[in-house]
Structures are given as C-alpha cells and as structure tokens.
Short mmCIF file of all heavy atoms in Angstrom, two decimals:
data_model
loop_
_atom_site.label_atom_id
_atom_site.label_comp_id
_atom_site.label_asym_id
_atom_site.label_seq_id
_atom_site.Cartn_x
_atom_site.Cartn_y
_atom_site.Cartn_z
N LYS A 5 -59.37 0.30 -6.62
CA LYS A 5 -57.92 0.50 -6.42
C LYS A 5 -57.49 -0.45 -5.30
O LYS A 5 -58.33 -0.91 -4.52
CB LYS A 5 -57.62 1.95 -6.04
CG LYS A 5 -57.67 2.89 -7.22
CD LYS A 5 -57.09 4.23 -6.83
CE LYS A 5 -56.90 5.07 -8.08
NZ LYS A 5 -56.28 6.35 -7.77
N GLU A 6 -56.20 -0.71 -5.22
CA GLU A 6 -55.70 -1.65 -4.22
C GLU A 6 -56.05 -1.26 -2.79
O GLU A 6 -56.20 -2.12 -1.94
CB GLU A 6 -54.19 -1.83 -4.37
CG GLU A 6 -53.84 -2.62 -5.63
CD GLU A 6 -52.35 -2.81 -5.84
OE1 GLU A 6 -51.55 -2.10 -5.20
OE2 GLU A 6 -52.00 -3.68 -6.64
N ASN A 7 -56.24 0.02 -2.53
CA ASN A 7 -56.58 0.46 -1.18
C ASN A 7 -58.09 0.61 -0.96
O ASN A 7 -58.52 1.10 0.07
CB ASN A 7 -55.86 1.77 -0.84
CG ASN A 7 -56.28 2.90 -1.76
OD1 ASN A 7 -56.93 2.69 -2.77
ND2 ASN A 7 -55.87 4.11 -1.41
N SER A 8 -58.91 0.18 -1.92
CA SER A 8 -60.37 0.26 -1.79
C SER A 8 -60.85 -0.70 -0.71
O SER A 8 -60.24 -1.75 -0.48
CB SER A 8 -61.05 -0.12 -3.10
OG SER A 8 -60.72 0.78 -4.12
N THR A 9 -61.96 -0.35 -0.08
CA THR A 9 -62.52 -1.23 0.94
C THR A 9 -63.98 -1.52 0.65
O THR A 9 -64.71 -0.68 0.13
CB THR A 9 -62.42 -0.60 2.35
OG1 THR A 9 -63.12 0.64 2.35
CG2 THR A 9 -60.98 -0.40 2.76
N VAL A 10 -64.38 -2.72 0.98
CA VAL A 10 -65.77 -3.15 0.89
C VAL A 10 -65.97 -4.15 2.02
O VAL A 10 -65.03 -4.87 2.39
CB VAL A 10 -66.10 -3.76 -0.50
CG1 VAL A 10 -65.35 -5.04 -0.74
CG2 VAL A 10 -67.58 -3.94 -0.70
N SER A 11 -67.16 -4.19 2.59
CA SER A 11 -67.38 -5.09 3.72
C SER A 11 -67.30 -6.55 3.27
O SER A 11 -67.63 -6.87 2.13
CB SER A 11 -68.73 -4.81 4.38
OG SER A 11 -69.78 -5.43 3.67
N ILE A 12 -66.85 -7.39 4.16
CA ILE A 12 -66.75 -8.83 3.88
C ILE A 12 -68.13 -9.38 3.53
O ILE A 12 -68.27 -10.21 2.63
CB ILE A 12 -66.14 -9.59 5.09
CG1 ILE A 12 -64.69 -9.16 5.31
CG2 ILE A 12 -66.25 -11.09 4.91
CD1 ILE A 12 -63.74 -9.52 4.20
N LYS A 13 -69.15 -8.92 4.23
CA LYS A 13 -70.52 -9.40 3.99
C LYS A 13 -70.95 -9.08 2.55
O LYS A 13 -71.49 -9.94 1.85
CB LYS A 13 -71.47 -8.73 4.99
CG LYS A 13 -72.89 -9.19 4.91
CD LYS A 13 -73.74 -8.50 5.98
CE LYS A 13 -75.18 -8.94 5.90
NZ LYS A 13 -76.01 -8.27 6.90
N VAL A 14 -70.70 -7.85 2.09
CA VAL A 14 -71.05 -7.46 0.72
C VAL A 14 -70.22 -8.24 -0.28
O VAL A 14 -70.75 -8.74 -1.28
CB VAL A 14 -70.86 -5.93 0.53
CG1 VAL A 14 -70.97 -5.54 -0.94
CG2 VAL A 14 -71.88 -5.16 1.35
N LEU A 15 -68.95 -8.39 -0.01
CA LEU A 15 -68.06 -9.12 -0.91
C LEU A 15 -68.50 -10.59 -1.03
O LEU A 15 -68.54 -11.14 -2.14
CB LEU A 15 -66.62 -9.04 -0.42
CG LEU A 15 -65.56 -9.67 -1.31
CD1 LEU A 15 -65.52 -9.00 -2.67
CD2 LEU A 15 -64.19 -9.57 -0.65
N ALA A 16 -68.85 -11.21 0.08
CA ALA A 16 -69.30 -12.61 0.06
C ALA A 16 -70.59 -12.74 -0.74
O ALA A 16 -70.74 -13.68 -1.53
CB ALA A 16 -69.50 -13.11 1.49
N LYS A 17 -71.50 -11.80 -0.56
CA LYS A 17 -72.77 -11.82 -1.30
C LYS A 17 -72.52 -11.65 -2.80
O LYS A 17 -73.12 -12.33 -3.62
CB LYS A 17 -73.65 -10.68 -0.76
CG LYS A 17 -75.09 -10.80 -1.09
CD LYS A 17 -75.83 -9.64 -0.42
CE LYS A 17 -77.23 -10.03 -0.09
NZ LYS A 17 -77.97 -8.96 0.55
N TYR A 18 -71.63 -10.75 -3.13
CA TYR A 18 -71.27 -10.50 -4.53
C TYR A 18 -70.68 -11.76 -5.16
O TYR A 18 -71.08 -12.18 -6.23
CB TYR A 18 -70.29 -9.32 -4.62
CG TYR A 18 -69.75 -9.06 -6.02
CD1 TYR A 18 -70.52 -8.35 -6.94
CD2 TYR A 18 -68.49 -9.51 -6.41
CE1 TYR A 18 -70.04 -8.10 -8.22
CE2 TYR A 18 -68.01 -9.26 -7.68
CZ TYR A 18 -68.78 -8.55 -8.59
OH TYR A 18 -68.31 -8.32 -9.84
N CYS A 19 -69.73 -12.36 -4.47
CA CYS A 19 -69.03 -13.54 -5.01
C CYS A 19 -69.94 -14.75 -5.15
O CYS A 19 -69.73 -15.59 -6.02
CB CYS A 19 -67.82 -13.88 -4.15
SG CYS A 19 -66.50 -12.65 -4.31
N SER A 20 -70.96 -14.87 -4.29
CA SER A 20 -71.84 -16.04 -4.35
C SER A 20 -73.08 -15.81 -5.22
O SER A 20 -73.87 -16.73 -5.41
CB SER A 20 -72.26 -16.44 -2.94
OG SER A 20 -73.06 -15.42 -2.36
N SER A 21 -73.25 -14.64 -5.78
CA SER A 21 -74.43 -14.35 -6.59
C SER A 21 -74.35 -15.05 -7.95
O SER A 21 -73.28 -15.46 -8.39
CB SER A 21 -74.62 -12.85 -6.77
OG SER A 21 -73.55 -12.35 -7.53
N LYS A 22 -75.50 -15.17 -8.63
CA LYS A 22 -75.61 -15.88 -9.90
C LYS A 22 -75.06 -15.10 -11.08
O LYS A 22 -74.72 -15.67 -12.11
CB LYS A 22 -77.08 -16.18 -10.19
CG LYS A 22 -77.74 -17.08 -9.21
CD LYS A 22 -79.21 -17.22 -9.57
CE LYS A 22 -79.99 -17.90 -8.47
NZ LYS A 22 -81.41 -17.91 -8.73
N MET A 23 -75.00 -13.81 -10.95
CA MET A 23 -74.63 -12.96 -12.09
C MET A 23 -73.20 -13.21 -12.54
O MET A 23 -72.39 -13.80 -11.83
CB MET A 23 -74.80 -11.50 -11.73
CG MET A 23 -73.75 -11.07 -10.76
SD MET A 23 -74.13 -9.58 -9.94
CE MET A 23 -72.85 -9.58 -8.75
N GLN A 24 -72.89 -12.71 -13.74
CA GLN A 24 -71.51 -12.73 -14.23
C GLN A 24 -70.78 -11.60 -13.53
O GLN A 24 -71.29 -10.49 -13.45
CB GLN A 24 -71.51 -12.50 -15.74
CG GLN A 24 -72.34 -13.50 -16.52
CD GLN A 24 -72.57 -13.02 -17.93
OE1 GLN A 24 -71.65 -12.61 -18.61
NE2 GLN A 24 -73.83 -13.04 -18.37
N LYS A 25 -69.60 -11.89 -13.01
CA LYS A 25 -68.90 -10.87 -12.23
C LYS A 25 -67.43 -10.77 -12.62
O LYS A 25 -66.82 -11.77 -13.00
CB LYS A 25 -69.07 -11.12 -10.75
CG LYS A 25 -68.81 -12.53 -10.30
CD LYS A 25 -69.38 -12.75 -8.92
CE LYS A 25 -70.10 -14.00 -8.63
NZ LYS A 25 -70.84 -14.74 -9.51
N GLU A 26 -66.93 -9.56 -12.50
CA GLU A 26 -65.52 -9.30 -12.79
C GLU A 26 -65.00 -8.25 -11.82
O GLU A 26 -65.75 -7.40 -11.37
CB GLU A 26 -65.35 -8.73 -14.21
CG GLU A 26 -65.70 -9.66 -15.33
CD GLU A 26 -65.66 -8.95 -16.67
OE1 GLU A 26 -64.65 -8.25 -16.95
OE2 GLU A 26 -66.64 -9.06 -17.42
N PHE A 27 -63.72 -8.32 -11.57
CA PHE A 27 -63.02 -7.29 -10.80
C PHE A 27 -61.96 -6.69 -11.70
O PHE A 27 -61.26 -7.42 -12.41
CB PHE A 27 -62.33 -7.89 -9.57
CG PHE A 27 -63.26 -8.33 -8.48
CD1 PHE A 27 -63.57 -9.67 -8.33
CD2 PHE A 27 -63.79 -7.42 -7.59
CE1 PHE A 27 -64.42 -10.10 -7.33
CE2 PHE A 27 -64.64 -7.83 -6.58
CZ PHE A 27 -64.95 -9.17 -6.44
N VAL A 28 -61.84 -5.38 -11.69
CA VAL A 28 -60.78 -4.71 -12.44
C VAL A 28 -60.01 -3.85 -11.43
O VAL A 28 -60.55 -2.87 -10.91
CB VAL A 28 -61.33 -3.83 -13.58
CG1 VAL A 28 -60.21 -3.07 -14.26
CG2 VAL A 28 -62.11 -4.68 -14.58
N CYS A 29 -58.76 -4.22 -11.18
CA CYS A 29 -57.92 -3.46 -10.27
C CYS A 29 -57.19 -2.38 -11.08
O CYS A 29 -56.47 -2.68 -12.03
CB CYS A 29 -56.91 -4.36 -9.58
SG CYS A 29 -55.86 -3.47 -8.42
N VAL A 30 -57.43 -1.14 -10.71
CA VAL A 30 -56.79 -0.01 -11.39
C VAL A 30 -55.52 0.31 -10.62
O VAL A 30 -55.55 0.76 -9.49
CB VAL A 30 -57.75 1.21 -11.43
CG1 VAL A 30 -57.07 2.38 -12.09
CG2 VAL A 30 -59.04 0.83 -12.14
N LYS A 31 -54.39 0.06 -11.26
CA LYS A 31 -53.10 0.23 -10.58
C LYS A 31 -52.54 1.64 -10.72
O LYS A 31 -51.71 2.05 -9.94
CB LYS A 31 -52.10 -0.80 -11.12
CG LYS A 31 -52.55 -2.22 -10.81
CD LYS A 31 -51.48 -3.22 -11.07
CE LYS A 31 -51.97 -4.62 -10.97
NZ LYS A 31 -52.16 -5.16 -9.67
N GLU A 32 -53.00 2.39 -11.72
CA GLU A 32 -52.52 3.76 -11.90
C GLU A 32 -52.94 4.61 -10.71
O GLU A 32 -54.05 4.48 -10.20
CB GLU A 32 -53.08 4.38 -13.19
CG GLU A 32 -52.49 3.80 -14.46
CD GLU A 32 -53.08 2.42 -14.83
OE1 GLU A 32 -54.12 2.04 -14.25
OE2 GLU A 32 -52.49 1.74 -15.65
N SER A 33 -52.08 5.49 -10.30
CA SER A 33 -52.38 6.30 -9.11
C SER A 33 -52.80 7.73 -9.46
O SER A 33 -52.99 8.55 -8.57
CB SER A 33 -51.18 6.32 -8.17
OG SER A 33 -50.06 6.87 -8.84
N THR A 34 -52.95 8.02 -10.74
CA THR A 34 -53.34 9.38 -11.13
C THR A 34 -54.77 9.67 -10.73
O THR A 34 -55.59 8.76 -10.57
CB THR A 34 -53.19 9.57 -12.66
OG1 THR A 34 -54.01 8.60 -13.31
CG2 THR A 34 -51.76 9.42 -13.10
N LYS A 35 -55.07 10.94 -10.61
CA LYS A 35 -56.43 11.37 -10.25
C LYS A 35 -57.41 10.89 -11.33
O LYS A 35 -57.12 11.00 -12.52
CB LYS A 35 -56.47 12.90 -10.12
CG LYS A 35 -57.80 13.40 -9.64
CD LYS A 35 -57.79 14.91 -9.49
CE LYS A 35 -59.15 15.34 -9.00
NZ LYS A 35 -59.37 16.75 -9.09
N ASN A 36 -58.53 10.37 -10.92
CA ASN A 36 -59.61 9.89 -11.80
C ASN A 36 -59.22 8.69 -12.65
O ASN A 36 -59.88 8.41 -13.66
CB ASN A 36 -60.12 11.02 -12.70
CG ASN A 36 -60.77 12.13 -11.91
OD1 ASN A 36 -61.43 11.88 -10.90
ND2 ASN A 36 -60.56 13.36 -12.34
#
C-alpha cells in the first residue's frame, strides 16, 4: 500500500538482484 514501509537497504538489494521483480501498489483502502 502507499503507506507501506521497507528499509532502503532491503529495497536497494531487491532492486539490484538478478531475479524478475514487480511491484503492485494496492490503492483500495478496504480491509484485506
């Protein structure tokens, strides 16, 4: 969600890794 947090160190590691990666931002604010 837009208010989710992750450390910069983890994010940098994720972005520089070899694997295929995607981000999905969930904009709905309903529970679950």
Side-chain angles (χ1 to χ4, degrees):
K5 283 192 169 183
E6 288 179 344
N7 62 349
S8 297
T9 59
V10 66
S11 81
I12 294 295
K13 184 178 179 181
V14 169
L15 185 61
K17 198 176 209 180
Y18 175 80
C19 290
S20 66
S21 66
K22 297 176 191 174
M23 72 197 171
Q24 303 166 49
K25 48 196 138 329
E26 294 173 49
F27 289 101
V28 176
C29 181
V30 178
K31 297 191 188 283
E32 289 78 14
S33 60
T34 58
K35 185 178 180 193
N36 296 324

